[in-house]
Amino acid sequence: MPIFTGALAFVLPIILTGGIHCDGFMDSVDGLFSGREREKILEIMKDSRVGAFGAVSLVLISALEISALIELFKLSIIFTLASIFAAPIISRLMMVMTIGIFPYARPQGMGKAFAMYTTRRTIFFAAVSTLLLLLPLILFDVKIFCTAILALTISFCFTLYFGKFATKKIGGVTGDIYGAVSTLVELIVPIIFLLSLI
């Protein structure tokens, strides 16, 4: 049961989003870690084909996330449910943070519209909405709520680091970077919940 539950918890968000964030993650890995110059990196990221590095990276983080969810389920069902609930909420906030904080790397692109209309007010509204959505977790267990806030804080630190890394490489972020941030944060959250129980 824990194995099936962990796998299901990992697969369902991908089905619901059509795998678009995973695609962005793979494109980002292929480009950012190609060792090429800026223009070539952007070209690689725009290519609809997936490279071996991106595919292998997705397999690796998938294995980590599923394993974390399985182990979490073995230790606490309620912590598992809280993690599954919190992960997409936190990851979407981190996407908004990435969009609002860092410049868009291309003159145009699918993510350009998000970058154009994301303001400080947008970030503030997203942050408040996230906290309000996470607040009910305190009704189940104070430790669960505190763990969610810790996961939020660590995810924010990671987002700043990853955004700065991408900006150094290509002069900003792209829609693919948005997807990569979401995918990686959805890995970070269950790991933080798991570590809080060990």
Side-chain angles (χ1 to χ4, degrees):
M1 191 65 176
I3 295 176
F4 175 76
T5 304
L8 186 64
F10 172 77
V11 169
L12 276 179
I14 296 176
I15 293 173
L16 292 173
T17 59
I20 189 170
H21 299 141
C22 292
D23 180 64
F25 168 76
M26 290 188 289
D27 287 342
S28 297
V29 171
D30 281 335
L32 294 176
F33 297 97
S34 64
R36 307 293 184 86
E37 296 300 318
R38 177 183 182 275
E39 293 305 320
K40 186 60 179 178
I41 291 173
L42 289 171
E43 184 182 327
I44 291 170
M45 291 170 68
K46 194 174 183 180
D47 193 334
S48 59
R49 294 169 296 181
V50 177
F53 198 24
V56 170
S57 296
L58 182 63
V59 170
L60 292 177
I61 69 161
S62 299
L64 284 173
E65 185 172 345
I66 292 171
S67 298
L69 289 166
I70 290 170
E71 292 302 316
L72 191 56
F73 185 83
K74 289 178 181 177
L75 294 173
S76 170
I77 294 175
I78 191 169
F79 265 73
T80 306
L81 294 175
S83 169
I84 293 169
F85 173 76
I89 295 172
I90 295 173
S91 72
R92 283 1 175 233
L93 173 61
M94 293 309 119
M95 286 180 71
V96 174
M97 292 290 185
T98 304
I99 295 167
I101 294 173
F102 300 99
Y104 197 72
R106 301 181 191 273
Q108 58 184 358
M110 288 182 65
K112 182 70 172 179
F114 293 101
M116 287 175 60
Y117 296 105
T118 299
T119 63
R120 289 182 179 178
R121 178 180 290 183
T122 308
I123 295 173
F124 176 77
F125 178 77
V128 171
S129 299
T130 298
L131 291 174
L132 289 175
L133 286 169
L134 294 177
L135 191 59
L137 293 175
I138 203 170
L139 299 175
F140 296 95
D141 191 327
V142 174
K143 185 178 180 180
I144 289 177
F145 177 73
C146 291
T147 302
I149 297 302
L150 177 62
L152 176 64
T153 304
I154 292 174
S155 296
F156 178 65
C157 292
F158 165 77
T159 299
L160 288 179
Y161 172 80
F162 191 72
K164 288 178 180 178
F165 172 74
T167 301
K168 186 177 180 181
K169 286 278 186 178
I170 58 175
V173 295
T174 66
D176 286 326
I177 302 295
Y178 303 161
V181 167
S182 177
T183 300
L184 290 168
V185 169
E186 287 189 0
L187 167 65
I188 290 171
V189 173
I191 289 176
I192 298 303
F193 269 82
L194 176 60
L195 292 176
S196 72
L197 291 175
I198 296 175

